[in-house]
């Protein structure tokens, strides 16, 4: 997919000019971003989330070993991804590995936000990022050779680096995630970028699973829809264009252990969380080794320099916090040195 053409977009206006860098933290970015979603007409009736499976949790060592084993990806899987820009793969994680991940993510979220995750309607989208350098358990999931090899194979590239991890919790009552593609977000000069979106519990429809429009080139249909810094016009414009062109959308539940992978040109969204359980996900983004930072990152790229310290516009995207995850250099639990230690 190296030859994909970058979307040009319409001319800038005062509300569409995103050329200035983001000047707040990552949580503020998410608070802003979800405000751009059009929630008119959304279903609001709540449902009880199904109980989590009752399975024993594996040891840290067992998780590390599991996530180092290759996943049986087929040629048909790769062709599907190349054609549609996404794929959902079952059984990437065992149920025990998923629930162990969830317990750790809940602990981290509750410590950061002083909140009772799953404690009732909170109507917010919470985010934590760059946890892996100082957390050996999370490091095993984020630097997983299994996950990184899937990403490299889907992109058909020989090696991938980590952009960053992202712990995402769509709290009960939180509204839609707006239609978007990640090409807006990542300040990388390549389209060989993929995000592994790993739910930390099953996701029924009422919880708001990620939904993918396809095939991959439907972004061209909405290239003329102006992205705006406030209001819901962009989200609504994309939805109306997709409806007018009868664009196919895959919106299906996630089984426990199922992980989706989406390309940076794939348009996706997610509905409101209408359950009594937080929809917690570990989303890790990987890109082809050798990519550079674009010359002019924008506010939509958020706090990108936190993910690539010491790397500037035009530089090769390869800070100590962007290790090559495939081919694997060793155990995923090994610490990575760098500026995060300061």
């Amino acid at each position: 997919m190296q030859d994909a053409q970058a979307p040009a977009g319409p001319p800038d206006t005062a509300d569409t000019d995103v050329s200035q860098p983001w000047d707040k933290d990552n949580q503020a970015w998410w608070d802003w971003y979800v405000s751009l979603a059009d929630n008119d007409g959304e279903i609001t009736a709540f449902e009880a989330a199904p109980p989590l499976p009752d399975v024993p949790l594996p040891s840290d060592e067992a998780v590390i070993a599991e996530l180092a084993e290759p996943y049986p990806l087929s040629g048909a899987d790769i062709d599907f991804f190349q054609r549609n820009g996404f794929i959902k793969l079952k059984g990437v994680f065992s149920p025990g590995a998923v629930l162990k991940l969830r317990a750790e993510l809940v602990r981290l979220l509750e410590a950061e936000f002083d909140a009772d995750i799953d404690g009732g309607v909170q109507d917010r989208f919470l985010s934590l990022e760059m946890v892996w350098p100082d957390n050996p358990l999370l490091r095993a999931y984020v630097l997983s050779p299994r996950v990184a090899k899937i990403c490299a194979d889907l992109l058909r590239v020989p090696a991938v680096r980590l952009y960053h991890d992202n712990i995402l919790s769509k709290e009960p009552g939180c509204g839609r995630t707006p239609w978007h593609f990640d090409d807006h977000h990542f300040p990388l000069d390549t389209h060989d970028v993929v995000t592994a979106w790993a739910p930390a519990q099953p996701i029924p429809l009422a919880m708001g699973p990620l939904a993918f429009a396809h095939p991959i080139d439907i972004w061209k249909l909405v290239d003329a829809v102006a992205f705006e810094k406030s209001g819901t016009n962009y989200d609504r414009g994309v939805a109306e264009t997709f409806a007018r062109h009868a664009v196919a959308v895959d919106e299906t539940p996630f089984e426990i252990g199922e992980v989706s992978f989406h390309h940076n040109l794939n348009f996706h969204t997610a509905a409101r969380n209408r359950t009594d359980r937080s929809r917690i996900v570990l989303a890790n983004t990987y890109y082809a080794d050798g990519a550079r930072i674009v010359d002019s990152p924008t506010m939509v790229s958020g706090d990108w320099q936190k993910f690539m310290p010491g790397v500037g516009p035009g530089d090769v995207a390869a800070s100590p916090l962007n290790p090559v995850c495939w081919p694997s250099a060793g155990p995923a639990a090994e610490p990575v040195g760098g500026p995060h230690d300061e």
Side-chain angles (χ1 to χ4, degrees):
M1 294 187 180
Q2 302 93 300
D3 298 328
Q5 296 298 307
D12 285 334
T13 66
D15 196 50
T16 63
D17 180 8
V18 295
S19 61
Q20 296 301 309
W22 184 253
D23 60 359
K24 301 179 180 65
D25 64 18
N26 196 52
Q27 181 57 53
W29 189 94
W30 277 105
D31 290 340
W32 161 69
Y33 202 70
V34 296
S35 76
L36 306 180
D38 178 17
N39 283 281
D40 289 349
E42 283 287 290
I43 300 171
T44 57
F46 270 68
E47 300 179 13
L52 295 173
D54 183 12
V55 297
L57 299 187
S59 65
D60 290 8
E61 293 74 19
V63 168
I64 293 169
E66 174 184 325
L67 299 183
E69 289 295 316
Y71 181 89
L73 198 66
S74 70
D77 293 331
I78 296 171
D79 290 344
F80 182 94
F81 177 85
Q82 290 277 322
R83 183 169 61 254
N84 294 299
F86 82 97
I87 192 167
K88 295 173 67 175
L89 299 174
K90 299 181 187 298
V92 176
F93 296 161
S94 68
V98 172
L99 295 184
K100 188 177 182 73
L101 173 64
R102 193 174 207 280
E104 181 65 3
L105 298 188
V106 167
R107 185 187 71 79
L108 291 166
L109 288 163
E110 291 187 336
E112 176 69 19
F113 295 101
D114 191 24
D116 180 12
I117 302 299
D118 296 336
V121 176
Q122 299 189 48
D123 196 23
R124 198 176 179 201
F125 199 114
L126 304 179
S127 172
L128 281 175
E129 79 294 324
M130 297 307 294
V131 174
W132 71 269
D134 301 308
N135 186 306
L137 179 59
L138 261 292
R139 192 176 302 134
Y141 290 89
V142 174
L143 305 188
S144 162
R146 167 180 287 197
V147 173
K149 185 178 189 303
I150 292 173
C151 292
D153 289 347
L154 290 175
L155 292 173
R156 293 177 174 161
V157 299
V160 293
R161 289 183 179 270
L162 174 71
Y163 179 48
H164 71 87
D165 59 352
N166 211 350
I167 300 168
L168 305 173
S169 182
K170 179 172 273 194
E171 298 294 280
C174 183
R176 289 185 54 252
T177 307
W179 277 111
H180 65 284
F181 66 171
D182 294 341
D183 189 70
H184 272 164
H185 302 166
F186 305 141
L188 299 166
D189 71 352
T190 179
H191 285 153
D192 286 326
V193 186
V194 61
T195 296
W197 200 81
Q201 68 288 299
I203 303 182
L205 284 176
M207 193 179 279
L210 213 56
F212 307 94
H214 57 95
I216 190 171
D217 61 359
I218 55 91
W219 62 262
K220 298 174 183 177
L221 293 175
V222 293
D223 192 28
V225 179
F227 181 83
E228 297 184 1
K229 293 182 286 189
S230 61
T232 61
N233 286 341
Y234 181 77
D235 183 43
R236 186 181 300 111
V238 171
E240 290 174 350
T241 302
F242 285 171
R244 189 163 60 249
H245 290 271
V247 169
V249 177
D250 182 299
E251 183 180 24
T252 51
F254 280 72
E255 298 178 3
I256 192 165
E258 188 171 11
V259 175
S260 66
F261 297 80
H262 61 267
H263 187 271
N264 72 314
L265 290 177
N266 172 266
F267 261 83
H268 49 281
T269 183
R272 178 187 300 274
N273 181 0
R274 301 185 290 108
T275 74
D276 55 359
R277 179 175 297 131
S278 297
R279 191 208 69 181
I280 301 176
V281 173
L282 177 63
N284 305 320
T285 297
Y286 307 85
Y287 60 93
D289 184 27
R292 292 179 178 271
I293 300 297
V294 297
D295 291 336
S296 300
T298 74
M299 66 179 290
V300 191
S301 295
D303 194 15
W304 68 272
Q305 289 176 308
K306 180 178 181 178
F307 314 140
M308 296 183 166
V311 178
D315 292 347
V316 175
S319 84
L321 297 186
N322 310 113
V324 172
C325 298
W326 184 262
S328 174
E334 289 298 317
V336 176
H340 68 276
D341 292 324
E342 297 175 359

